């Protein structure tokens, strides 16, 4: 059974309540004999009950496929070189973050069966993990979230519990600390062999005196086991990102603006500026690297953005003309079924109507987007193709499709030399677009890599006649 736990705090003077934390605990019933105990289904009374029931089912699916997903991501991480460089300054060895603590289980720490309270063990684990995280900053770290507390076995009164914590990896303003707990009775203690009873992965932030987020130094793995935990932290972060957006119940709030002749200049200018602003943000983290493609992720509160960087062996100006013509997008992008021009606003701004395939047994999606193209300014070498959804009265939502939205997306094409360039695709993922990225971020799909490879092949195989016809 899954039980949800919500903790709130109330200000005694104002009466204002604030949500502190949310957790989901999974329990199993222990039979007296050998037969499993079948639980009675719960009765759903309200619409919110049905929503929570469905989300619990989604969380269970994620949990069941967690092990396979984690193994696949670990294999993927082993295919490319580790990003840590021996000469990089400011890195901290994993050994410098190791902390060990020993606790003796006394009667107040246990229930009437003599088994240690799970909450007590979790509290001890948090204490040792906090000390480990504090080795990386000069302020007190704050527990942001818990990836997992896994109870592998019981401990009882009289056991000695040994807690070992170490920082597995850092991600800009957060750090993952792994904690392992072993239990020893008197005989096991004398023989030096314990029972692995608990594991946990805790995520910390820290703020300085100015209430600004602290950037943690990078971690330098030393041993083979350190590297395993280092890559494991990257895999868990990807799974957390996917899990967070898959199981979150978000209503799509329309953010796109109405298109009309009065605001077309400001919308077009804002479209281009938003793309460049997103590309210039700091904190992008690489999650996948191939021969010609790298994928980066940027998470800001509830906003998730993806950056796909591709190296292409064709001149930048030709690549610009291929990618800025969205009628050709279905030739290489499987997420686009059709794409037609519905308004040629100007030479550099056009409005397209796009249809997308079915995902998760839902209706197919459609979009109305403004595509703003910009050539480099004088002495520049970066071409811009910005994309943003707009509301066009002449193309109202259709019952056959789910009207979706692109908040901010597009290409930045940077010339390397006369015959090659770097193509950077950015997308600030909205709730309606996320299903097309979920499998890739979670590790059970290669849709982004496959689409990037298809794009590169399309560009490099384009004939000169096809390119010339675009001018």
């Amino acid at each position: 059974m899954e039980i949800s736990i919500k903790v709130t705090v109330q200000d005694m003077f104002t009466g204002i309540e604030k949500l502190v934390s949310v957790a989901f605990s999974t329990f199993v019933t222990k039979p007296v004999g050998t037969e499993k105990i079948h639980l009675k289904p719960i009765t759903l009374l309200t619409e919110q009950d049905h929503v929570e029931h469905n989300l619990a089912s989604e969380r269970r699916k994620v949990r069941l496929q967690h092990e396979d997903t984690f193994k696949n991501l670990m294999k993927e991480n082993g295919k490319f070189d580790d990003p840590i460089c021996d000469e990089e300054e400011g890195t901290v060895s994993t050994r410098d973050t190791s902390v060990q603590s020993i606790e003796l289980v006394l009667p107040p720490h246990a229930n009437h069966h003599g088994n240690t309270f799970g909450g007590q063990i979790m509290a001890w684990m948090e204490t040792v993990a906090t000390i480990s995280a504090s080795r990386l900053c000069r302020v007190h770290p704050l527990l942001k979230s818990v990836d997992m507390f896994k109870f592998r076995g019981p401990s009882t009164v009289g056991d000695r519990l040994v807690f070992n914590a170490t920082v597995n990896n850092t991600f800009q303003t957060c750090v993952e600390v792994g904690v392992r707990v072993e239990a020893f009775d008197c005989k096991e203690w004398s023989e030096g062999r314990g029972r692995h009873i608990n594991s946990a992965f805790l995520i910390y932030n820290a703020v300085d005196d100015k209430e600004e987020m602290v950037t943690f130094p990078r971690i330098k793995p030393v041993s083979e086991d350190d590297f395993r935990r280092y890559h494991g932290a990257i895999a868990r972060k990807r799974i957390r990102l996917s899990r967070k957006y898959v199981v979150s119940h978000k209503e799509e709030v329309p953010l796109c603006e109405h298109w009309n002749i009065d605001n077309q200049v400001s919308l077009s200018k804002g479209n281009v500026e938003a793309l460049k602003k997103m590309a210039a943000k700091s904190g992008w983290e690489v999650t996948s690297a191939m021969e010609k493609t790298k994928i980066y992720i940027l998470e800001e509160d509830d906003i998730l953005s993806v950056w796909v960087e591709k190296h292409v062996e064709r001149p930048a100006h030709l690549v610009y003309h291929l990618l800025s013509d969205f009628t050709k997008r279905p030739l290489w992008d499987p997420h686009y079924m059709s794409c037609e021009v519905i308004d040629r606003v100007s030479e550099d701004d056009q409005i397209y109507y796009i249809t997308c395939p079915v995902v998760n047994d839902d209706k197919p999606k459609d979009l109305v987007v403004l595509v703003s193209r910009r050539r480099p300014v004088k002495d520049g070498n970066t071409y811009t193709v910005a994309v943003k959804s707009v509301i066009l009265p002449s193309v109202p939502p259709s019952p056959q499709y789910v009207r979706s939205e692109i908040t901010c997306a597009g290409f930045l094409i940077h010339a390397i030399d006369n015959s090659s360039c770097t193509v950077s695709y950015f997308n600030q993922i909205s709730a309606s677009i996320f299903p097309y990225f979920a499998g890739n971020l979670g590790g059970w799909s290669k849709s982004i890599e496959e689409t990037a490879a298809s794009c590169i092949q399309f560009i490099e195989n384009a004939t000169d006649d096809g390119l010339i016809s675009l001018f």
Side-chain angles (χ1 to χ4, degrees):
M1 71 182 80
E2 180 191 275
I3 298 176
S4 65
I5 305 160
K6 294 184 180 180
V7 183
T8 58
V9 62
Q10 184 182 47
D11 188 301
M12 294 177 61
F13 298 102
T14 64
I16 297 175
E17 291 189 353
K18 183 171 61 176
L19 183 64
V20 175
S21 61
V22 177
F24 301 96
S25 297
T26 303
F27 288 80
V28 294
T29 52
K30 187 176 180 181
V32 176
T34 57
E35 294 185 4
K36 292 184 177 180
I37 297 176
H38 295 278
L39 303 175
K40 295 180 181 179
I42 60 173
T43 302
L44 307 176
L45 301 177
T46 66
E47 182 180 351
Q48 186 61 29
D49 289 344
H50 285 275
V51 170
E52 295 296 339
H53 185 270
N54 292 334
L55 291 177
S57 298
E58 291 299 319
R59 283 188 288 269
R60 184 170 188 270
K61 291 178 183 178
V62 172
R63 287 196 301 271
L64 291 175
Q65 66 186 11
H66 179 274
E67 291 298 327
D68 290 338
T69 300
F70 182 78
K71 290 178 182 177
N72 291 336
L73 288 174
M74 289 295 283
K75 289 180 181 178
E76 178 182 316
N77 288 338
K79 292 180 180 178
F80 53 90
D81 295 335
D82 191 87
I84 294 295
C85 178
D86 290 338
E87 291 76 23
E88 185 174 340
E89 295 183 1
T91 58
V92 178
S93 169
T94 49
R95 292 177 181 175
D96 294 335
T97 67
S98 296
V99 178
Q100 185 179 86
S101 175
I102 302 176
E103 300 286 349
L104 176 63
V105 181
L106 300 174
H109 301 143
N111 60 23
H112 60 286
H113 293 295
N115 293 325
T116 314
F117 288 122
Q120 179 62 69
I121 296 177
M122 293 167 70
W124 282 331
M125 295 173 80
E126 182 190 351
T127 299
V128 71
T130 302
I131 297 172
S132 177
S134 69
R135 299 279 176 85
L136 295 179
C137 57
R138 297 179 180 272
V139 295
H140 187 71
L142 307 172
L143 181 62
K144 175 187 177 184
S145 62
V146 176
D147 184 283
M148 183 187 302
F149 271 113
K150 189 167 185 178
F151 292 83
R152 306 171 63 95
S155 62
T156 58
V157 173
D159 279 347
R160 295 174 177 86
L161 304 186
V162 178
F163 299 79
N164 286 291
T166 187
V167 170
N168 293 331
N169 208 334
T170 60
F171 304 97
Q172 300 292 331
T173 58
C174 67
V175 55
E176 181 192 283
V177 181
V179 184
R180 176 187 173 96
V181 187
E182 293 184 319
F184 299 78
D185 59 24
C186 291
K187 183 178 179 181
E188 291 167 338
W189 185 263
S190 62
E191 295 175 352
R193 56 178 180 86
R195 291 167 279 125
H196 181 195
I197 63 168
N198 291 87
S199 290
F201 304 99
L202 298 91
I203 316 302
Y204 286 86
N205 290 133
V207 294
D208 57 21
D209 296 337
K210 299 179 181 178
E211 296 296 319
E212 295 180 351
M213 298 291 288
V214 172
T215 299
F216 289 95
R218 299 188 70 190
I219 279 293
K220 181 180 178 181
V222 178
S223 66
E224 183 178 344
D225 201 41
D226 289 341
F227 276 98
R228 177 185 60 79
R229 292 194 297 264
Y230 180 92
H231 288 300
I234 297 174
R236 280 185 292 273
K237 180 175 173 60
R238 287 186 62 178
I239 294 173
R240 282 196 302 275
L241 278 174
S242 178
R243 181 175 61 200
K244 173 182 176 180
Y245 287 87
V246 167
V247 303
S248 62
H249 181 66
K250 293 183 178 180
E251 295 293 338
E252 188 72 48
V253 179
L255 298 175
C256 52
E257 301 177 62
H258 287 267
W259 174 267
N260 58 60
I261 194 170
D262 296 326
N263 66 354
Q264 63 184 37
V265 174
S266 61
L267 276 180
S268 178
K269 181 180 178 182
N271 189 17
V272 174
E273 289 178 349
L275 176 62
K276 292 183 177 180
K277 183 178 179 181
M278 178 166 58
K281 288 181 178 180
S282 60
W284 290 97
E285 298 171 357
V286 63
T287 63
S288 177
M290 302 173 67
E291 184 180 356
K292 287 188 173 184
T293 306
K294 283 186 179 180
I295 300 175
Y296 301 82
I297 295 294
L298 176 65
E299 187 180 16
E300 304 171 292
D301 297 324
D302 288 332
I303 299 175
L304 181 66
S305 302
V306 174
W307 166 19
V308 185
E309 184 182 74
K310 298 167 283 192
H311 180 79
V312 180
E313 297 295 338
R314 294 305 291 269
H317 70 280
L318 297 181
V319 174
Y320 164 73
H321 283 284
L322 281 173
L323 295 182
S324 63
D325 181 2
F326 267 47
T327 61
K328 290 181 164 37
R329 186 81 175 254
L331 296 176
W332 58 268
D333 191 341
H335 304 107
Y336 282 54
M337 291 178 59
S338 66
C339 191
E340 60 178 306
V341 179
I342 55 177
D343 190 352
R344 296 185 182 275
V345 181
S346 66
E347 180 183 354
D348 292 325
D349 295 281
Q350 297 178 349
I351 297 178
Y352 291 82
Y353 176 69
I354 301 168
T355 61
C356 304
V358 174
V359 177
N360 298 335
D361 299 325
D362 198 358
K363 289 182 181 179
K365 301 179 185 295
D366 66 349
L367 307 104
V368 178
V369 301
L370 167 67
V371 177
S372 303
R373 312 183 303 175
R374 297 292 184 271
R375 294 170 179 81
V377 295
K378 187 176 181 181
D379 299 327
N381 60 354
T382 299
Y383 296 80
T384 303
V385 182
V387 185
K388 172 184 172 62
S389 287
V390 293
I391 297 175
L392 203 62
S394 60
V395 189
S398 166
Q400 298 178 340
Y401 295 92
V402 176
R403 177 58 53 89
S404 301
E405 179 181 87
I406 292 178
T407 308
C408 179
F411 300 94
L412 293 180
I413 303 162
H414 180 80
I416 299 174
D417 52 38
N418 292 332
S419 61
S420 64
C421 64
T422 299
V423 178
S424 293
Y425 172 72
F426 296 89
N427 194 318
Q428 180 180 311
I429 300 177
S430 62
S432 59
I433 297 298
F434 181 76
Y436 297 101
F437 293 87
N440 192 280
L441 297 177
W444 59 84
S445 168
K446 292 283 188 180
S447 61
I448 298 179
E449 287 92 341
E450 291 168 356
T451 302
S454 177
C455 179
I456 294 172
Q457 184 179 18
F458 166 75
I459 293 171
E460 295 184 346
N461 290 344
T463 62
D464 291 339
D465 292 339
L467 292 170
I468 293 172
S469 66
L470 294 171
F471 286 91

